[in-house]
Amino acid sequence: MCQSEARRGPELRAAKWLHFPQLALRRRLGQLSCMSKPALKLRSWPLAVLYYLLPLGALRPLSRVGWRPVSRVALYKSVPTRLLSRAWGRLNQVELPHWLRRPVYSLYIWTFGVNMKEAAVEDLHHYRNLSEFFRRKLKPQARPVCGLHSVISPSDGKILNFGQVKNCEVEQVKGVTYSLESFLGPRTPTEDLPFPPAVRHRSFRSQLVTREGNELYHCVIYLAPGDYHCFHSPTDWTVAHRRHFPGSLMSVNPGMARWIKELFCHNERVVLTGDWKHGFFSLTAVGATNVGSIRIYFDRDLHTNSPRYSKGSYNDFSFVTHANKEGIPMRKGEHLGEFNLGSTIVLIFEAPKDFNFSLQAGQKIRFGEALGSL
């Protein structure tokens, strides 16, 4: 047997095993084409999964009668990640028996490299459920806040990207971008927003830059499952507005961010906007699979990962009131919120042209360490 025949052996055997009558297949595909989109998607999904799991060429007879598999990205987007995340959240709240806590948490610590010596409470039996363990607090001296730099890291994590925002596009990872306007949402000309009303014929980026001579900067920090899950204020600023985008809960790990364009715009996120001493400042907490719960400590009205939502919708809430015309003041390093598992923080802010990041893409960083300064 020649080498080419030997290589094709598994493919030929699979094709023979899956020998379909083409006339019956054409008739069945014709019935599928008459179905509604949701029903068609449901019926085609198992075939698409088999297409990517079975050996090469196993489902080639289907392509001869007009069937085409959905892309891997479309297949992944069809997974009910919001439902799975709510189920995971319920599981996290289940109190573990005292004897089971140490083996369960020890497995998690070993898998994700958690450093429990930094935890305020090192005794694993103290954490009644997985949720409490994920949201564990650190010892006060574990994360000293850098006082010399104007912007610090709000969390532990990995730097995915940083730099100036150009052409209204922001890089989620190198070479893969998303729209600044899609991410933050459209400008609303109301008094509650921390920036002036939109002006026609100006780019979205230039509308956010409120002072002459300033530039717009961004920084993306990925929190892995083993990282400290709370996030803090990265600088002294005032939070004036919150915008909540219900959405998907796809994984935001770097590999997935390279795979899916505008991933951060698809996922559920909470955008906090306000001002710091150099102008516009925003911090966005992006949800992910099993991270449907995003909590902002001073925002009791925020409820994430609701069972129902309208695609593309968002909810606005202003912290500026008649009694409080400034908003919520935050000090650098102050507790701001938390995730239930790993996720992503995106900073977008205005600063003078001589602002410099002291970072490298891909580096590990801890809460309190410097991101950059003037």
Side-chain angles (χ1 to χ4, degrees), residues 113-133:
V114 178
N115 183 4
M116 284 302 294
K117 292 182 179 180
E118 298 177 336
V121 180
E122 297 184 39
D123 182 13
L124 297 181
H125 293 108
H126 169 79
Y127 304 100
R128 294 173 298 177
N129 52 47
L130 287 167
S131 180
E132 286 188 2
F133 180 73

Side-chain angles (χ1 to χ4, degrees), residues 21 107 136 152 156 184 207 216 259 266 278 291 315 322:
L107 177 61
R136 64 193 176 276
I152 63 170
D156 289 9
L184 295 178
Q207 293 170 21
L216 201 62
W259 195 31
H266 291 302
H278 299 296
V291 197
N315 306 306
H322 293 291

Side-chain angles (χ1 to χ4, degrees), residues 259-277:
W259 195 31
I260 301 179
K261 182 178 173 61
E262 296 202 333
L263 171 62
F264 297 158
C265 297
H266 291 302
N267 270 17
E268 182 163 17
R269 59 198 182 278
V270 176
V271 182
L272 301 178
T273 53
D275 288 287
W276 72 317
K277 60 183 178 180

Side-chain angles (χ1 to χ4, degrees), residues 10-53:
E11 179 181 333
L12 292 173
R13 286 194 296 271
K16 185 176 181 181
W17 177 63
L18 291 169
H19 180 70
F20 299 112
Q22 293 192 14
L23 182 61
L25 276 174
R26 286 196 180 96
R27 186 182 299 113
R28 183 58 180 156
L29 289 171
Q31 293 172 354
L32 286 174
S33 64
C34 298
M35 290 184 177
S36 63
K37 285 187 177 181
L40 178 60
K41 187 176 181 181
L42 183 63
R43 295 293 183 89
S44 300
W45 193 80
L47 276 181
V49 172
L50 288 174
Y51 180 86
Y52 291 113
L53 292 180

Side-chain angles (χ1 to χ4, degrees), residues 174-190:
K174 190 170 181 61
V176 182
T177 63
Y178 58 91
S179 163
L180 180 63
E181 185 170 6
S182 297
F183 182 69
L184 295 178
R187 298 287 302 282
T188 305
T190 65

